[in-house]
């Protein structure tokens, strides 16, 4: 594996390693890809207002998520069909995050399966589920999730139906997640549960099960507040990386109103266009507690599996610490909205 020193080199190697179908599945979005581009443009639109003459000889990026120590405030989000990018799939991700010291959220449409992975790689992790069955089916999965030792259970709420991802359609490329969505892989498809998911689903889970619940796909203050009222333990701001509903706001622009509505009552996670350490710091300034970096994860996996992802995380950590120091900040609790402002992006957005 090449001796990667920058994120750019990792992305370049990923593109070399993947065929066109897999590359487009990783970097593409829904329909016109407006939401995909807007995510990145939103991150680029926020700039720093650095402070000076503060002691930043020691910069601390450590925190805690659901009782688990986190080396940096970053989470590896659920990626369907992650094994397409590197044959080890979720196990390769698990090895990297375990060694580095953060957490992964395991997708229900990847391999190894959620009840197999703990036998392969130790470590705290979260399980994300797409509902492709009835309530009894979901309850069984949650019981098995708890038995397998997962720290939390995550429902993705922005995938009521599978979107039109035209890069994939044009090449007739159908990943595992697409086959499950359409019911062509032994499941009943998203119509079997995702489209019927409601606040009653949340109430049922909170009443019946003793496991922290994460709702992923929140985009407005009203839904964020309702999540907290319903007992949701973590609110996850996301538009599925621009891969579901097109023409949505950038996640980083939705973040401040969500954070204000939650007012520190539960942790906030955000993803969507975050690729560099500076991006992470911007998200933290605007109200997130942790940043999800899905394409970052997928690109590193495609570049070289566990070792490339571990290298990418080390580069990311260096970027976060450098950005904080140059902004005059030495701890995460000092990152506030006063450190950023909006400006016109300098270049067209690109993943």
């Amino acid at each position: 594996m090449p001796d990667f020193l920058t994120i750019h080199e990792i992305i370049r190697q990923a593109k070399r390693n993947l065929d066109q179908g897999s590359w487009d599945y990783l970097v593409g979005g829904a329909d016109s890809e407006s939401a995909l581009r807007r995510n990145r443009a939103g991150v680029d639109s926020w700039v720093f207002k650095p402070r000076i003459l503060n002691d930043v000889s020691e910069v601390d990026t450590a925190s805690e998520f659901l009782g688990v120590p986190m080396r940096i405030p970053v989470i590896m989000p659920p990626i369907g069909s992650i094994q397409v990018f590197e044959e080890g799939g979720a196990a390769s991700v698990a090895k990297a995050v375990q060694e580095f010291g953060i957490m992964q959220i395991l997708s229900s449409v990847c391999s190894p399966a959620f009840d197999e992975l703990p036998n392969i790689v130790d470590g705290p992790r979260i399980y994300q589920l797409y509902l492709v069955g009835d309530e009894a089916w979901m309850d069984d999965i949650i019981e098995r999730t708890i038995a397998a030792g997962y720290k939390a259970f995550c429902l993705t709420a922005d995938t009521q139906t599978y979107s039109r991802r035209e890069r994939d359609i044009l090449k007739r490329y159908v990943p595992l997640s697409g086959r499950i969505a359409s019911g062509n892989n032994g499941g009943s498809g998203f119509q079997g549960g995702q489209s019927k998911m409601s606040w009653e689903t949340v109430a049922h889970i909170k009443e019946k099960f003793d496991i922290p619940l994460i709702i992923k796909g929140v985009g407005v203050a009203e839904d964020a507040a309702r999540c907290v009222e319903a007992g949701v333990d973590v609110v996850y701001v996301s538009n599925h990386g621009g891969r579901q509903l097109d023409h949505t706001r950038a996640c980083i622009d939705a973040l401040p109103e969500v954070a204000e509505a939650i007012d520190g009552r539960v942790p906030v996670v955000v993803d969507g266009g975050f690729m560099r350490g500076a991006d992470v710091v911007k998200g933290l300034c605007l109200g997130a507690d942790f940043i999800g970096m899905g394409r970052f994860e997928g690109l590193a996996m495609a570049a070289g599996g566990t070792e490339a992802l571990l290298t990418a995380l080390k580069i990311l950590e260096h970027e976060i610490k450098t950005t904080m120091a140059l902004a005059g900040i030495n701890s995460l609790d000092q990152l506030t909205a006063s450190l950023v402002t909006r400006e016109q992006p300098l270049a067209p957005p690109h993943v």
Side-chain angles (χ1 to χ4, degrees):
M1 190 181 69
D3 183 19
F4 300 121
L5 297 178
T6 69
I7 301 299
H8 292 291
E9 293 173 300
I10 291 172
I11 295 173
R12 183 168 57 193
Q13 188 63 46
K15 190 167 187 180
R16 288 175 181 153
N17 291 349
L18 294 176
D19 59 48
Q20 193 63 44
S22 298
W23 171 259
D24 282 342
Y25 170 65
L26 175 55
V27 304
D31 299 319
S32 65
E33 299 191 341
S34 167
L36 172 73
R37 295 192 303 275
R38 201 176 296 278
N39 272 346
R40 186 61 229 179
V43 174
D44 285 340
S45 295
W46 289 95
V47 299
F48 293 110
K49 299 192 297 180
R51 307 302 301 270
I52 62 171
L53 297 177
N54 293 326
D55 183 351
V56 291
S57 56
E58 297 289 337
V59 175
D60 185 9
T61 61
S63 61
E64 186 177 285
F65 184 54
L66 297 175
V68 177
M70 300 279 282
R71 179 167 160 180
I72 58 175
V74 170
I75 290 175
M76 295 293 96
I79 299 181
S81 308
I82 187 74
Q83 65 276 6
V84 167
F85 311 128
E86 193 267 349
E87 62 182 1
S92 295
V93 176
K95 292 172 185 175
V97 300
Q98 180 198 41
E99 181 173 344
F100 183 79
I102 59 171
M103 292 177 71
Q104 74 180 130
I105 305 178
L106 182 72
S107 170
S108 58
V109 286
C110 73
S111 64
F114 78 101
D115 46 4
E116 296 174 2
L117 184 57
N119 298 323
I120 302 171
V121 185
D122 290 331
R125 60 183 61 92
I126 297 162
Y127 183 52
Q128 174 270 334
L129 182 67
Y130 289 116
L131 301 184
V132 294
D134 59 16
E135 188 177 274
W137 175 87
M138 179 187 73
D139 287 355
D140 176 66
I141 296 293
I142 297 175
E143 288 171 357
R144 291 161 60 191
T145 299
I146 295 171
Y150 283 79
K151 289 292 182 180
F153 179 73
C154 176
L155 283 180
T156 297
D158 62 4
T159 315
Q160 302 92 325
T161 186
Y162 198 72
S163 61
R164 287 182 56 82
R165 302 174 188 179
E166 293 189 352
R167 292 196 196 210
D168 299 343
I169 292 170
L170 287 167
K171 291 183 289 299
R172 309 313 191 249
Y173 180 90
V174 185
L176 173 61
S177 54
R179 293 198 296 273
I180 290 178
S182 63
N184 293 331
N185 196 51
S188 57
F190 282 178
Q191 295 301 318
Q194 280 294 122
S195 62
K196 298 177 182 178
M197 189 163 56
S198 70
W199 292 105
E200 292 180 1
T201 309
V202 173
H204 170 79
I205 294 171
K206 291 304 299 180
E207 180 179 349
K208 187 169 182 178
F209 299 100
D210 184 18
I211 186 171
L213 176 63
I214 301 170
I215 297 296
K216 181 175 181 285
V218 178
V220 297
E222 294 84 353
D223 286 342
R226 190 164 181 181
C227 278
V228 177
E229 292 163 5
V232 170
D233 300 274
V234 178
V235 170
Y236 195 142
V237 179
S238 177
N239 63 6
H240 220 98
R243 298 162 72 81
Q244 280 299 109
L245 177 63
D246 201 7
H247 305 286
T248 55
R249 287 185 296 174
C251 293
I252 198 170
D253 292 336
L255 173 62
E257 75 169 64
V258 168
E260 182 179 4
I262 289 173
D263 194 26
R265 289 176 288 174
V266 300
V268 177
V269 180
V270 66
D271 66 20
F274 297 87
M275 287 293 296
R276 304 293 297 267
D279 305 340
V280 170
V281 176
K282 292 177 188 180
L284 299 174
C285 286
L286 291 168
D289 297 289
F290 296 91
I291 311 298
M293 302 182 68
R295 285 191 176 87
F296 173 97
E297 173 187 347
L299 289 162
M301 282 283 288
T306 296
E307 290 304 318
L309 180 53
L310 187 57
T311 297
L313 288 169
K314 291 176 181 177
I315 294 171
L316 182 69
E317 178 183 42
H318 183 79
E319 291 181 345
I320 293 170
K321 288 187 173 183
T322 300
T323 300
M324 289 176 62
L326 293 174
I329 300 300
N330 60 29
S331 66
L332 298 179
D333 59 4
Q334 297 172 356
L335 296 173
T336 67
S338 66
L339 288 167
V340 292
T341 189
R342 293 297 294 267
E343 295 287 351
Q344 184 70 25
L346 290 177
H350 194 280
V351 71

